[in-house]
Structures are given as C-alpha cells and as structure tokens.
Amino acid sequence: MSINISLLFARYRNQGILIDTNILLLYFVGNVNRERISRFKRTEQFVLEDYNLLLKIFNYFQKVVTTPNILTEVNSLANQLGEPERSRCFSLFAQSISTFHEFYIESNFIITSDQFVRFGLTDCGISSLVKDKYLVLTDDLKLAVHLQREGIDTVNFNNLRTYGWR
C-alpha cells in the first residue's frame, strides 16, 4: 500500500494535489490551534500526528489545487469555531487562498453528471476537474472508491494514517 502511495505522490508532485474539504479544514484548524484539532466537532476524528503528516504533504507538492465549492465548504465548517479561533482561522484562510491553484467549473456543467444525485456539487466538481491532472487526497471513503473506479488517482487520507508516508 505505501509503495503505491509513494508512487502516486511522486507522479503528481509537480502537477499538484487536490485536497478535499475535511483535510483542508484540518490544515486550517491545526494552523490556528493544534490542540483544537481533536476538540473541534468537524476535525475530532484527527489527531496532531495527522496534522503533522498533512504539513509534510503540503510541503511536498508544488501545487495545492482546490475549487470554489471546497473553499465554501471549508469556510462554512470553520465558521463553527468559537472565537478567537474563528477569526484567526478566517485570517489564515484569506492569506492562504492566494497560494492555492483554484479552478472553477460551472455548476450547470457539474449537475449533468450521472453521479450528481449521489455525490453532490463539490464531489462531482472534483471528479470533473482532476482526471489525469491532479491527485486527490480525501478522507471520504465513498468518494475515494468512486473516483478510483472512474480511473482517477486518489489517496484516502485514512490509509496514510494507517500505513504512513515518507
């Protein structure tokens, strides 16, 4: 497993990685307050080691790719933080957006996907954007399995947590 992940990481190092909502939220919450990671409802499934692993991933890839839909979801979830962490998170969020490679796909196009009813706007937008362009990093098993069946290179963050990555 870790050999396959390492090969995928190496293949997409220069092209970029798309980081799904929950993982991107982990990045922002961890940057604001590492102790809050396991105490915030939306990131409580993660631990400090997950955040540290994510920082290595951010540093490894030349590009972090996102969509307006992912950013909107992260914004909405981060809005549930209490103060002063919420304000600090939004400040960091505003600074970080310019470092991401953001791609817009029209919602009218996304909703034509056969999988729209099952996966919704954000996940179908990911599927529309990434094939043969970017690696996807998600903790959403249903999405990961779907993308892999579609021939889209995807790594489930939970596998990284289990098997590690260097």
Side-chain angles (χ1 to χ4, degrees):
M1 176 65 78
S2 62
I3 293 172
N4 291 340
I5 291 171
S6 293
L7 290 174
L8 283 173
F9 273 37
R11 177 176 173 200
Y12 287 96
R13 182 176 192 175
N14 294 325
Q15 288 175 258
I17 187 167
L18 182 138
I19 299 182
D20 198 10
T21 302
N22 289 336
I23 310 300
L24 195 55
L25 181 64
L26 168 63
Y27 173 76
F28 288 112
V29 171
N31 270 302
V32 168
N33 182 353
R34 293 176 181 166
E35 293 177 10
R36 188 78 159 115
I37 293 168
S38 59
R39 294 190 332 241
F40 178 46
K41 176 180 160 184
R42 299 302 183 164
T43 57
E44 67 187 5
Q45 71 272 26
F46 300 113
V47 295
L48 180 59
E49 291 80 10
D50 298 328
Y51 170 73
N52 291 333
L53 175 61
L54 184 57
L55 289 180
K56 290 178 187 175
I57 292 168
F58 263 80
N59 289 326
Y60 180 81
F61 284 89
Q62 299 296 314
K63 296 178 192 173
V64 174
V65 176
T66 193
T67 68
N69 304 89
I70 292 171
L71 294 175
T72 299
E73 286 187 357
V74 170
N75 182 85
S76 294
L77 295 171
N79 199 33
Q80 297 173 21
L81 283 165
E83 292 295 348
E85 292 163 329
R86 181 194 159 281
S87 293
R88 291 194 335 236
C89 188
F90 281 141
S91 292
L92 175 64
F93 189 65
Q95 294 169 8
S96 298
I97 286 177
S98 66
T99 66
F100 299 149
H101 296 261
E102 183 179 2
F103 294 94
Y104 171 75
I105 300 172
E106 285 190 36
S107 298
N108 278 331
F109 175 75
I110 295 170
I111 63 171
T112 64
S113 166
D114 295 339
Q115 298 298 317
F116 177 75
V117 173
R118 183 168 178 220
F119 290 98
L121 196 62
T122 300
D123 292 351
C124 285
I126 290 169
S127 181
S128 298
L129 172 66
V130 299
K131 188 160 187 167
D132 298 323
K133 293 180 189 169
Y134 309 108
L135 180 64
V136 176
L137 180 65
T138 185
D139 69 334
D140 181 338
L141 179 61
K142 182 174 100 171
L143 176 62
V145 168
H146 167 69
L147 293 175
Q148 288 168 346
R149 285 184 182 151
E150 294 292 314
I152 296 170
D153 290 328
T154 305
V155 172
N156 187 325
F157 189 74
N158 294 310
N159 291 336
L160 290 176
R161 297 169 79 194
T162 303
Y163 299 106
W165 171 77
R166 294 188 180 102

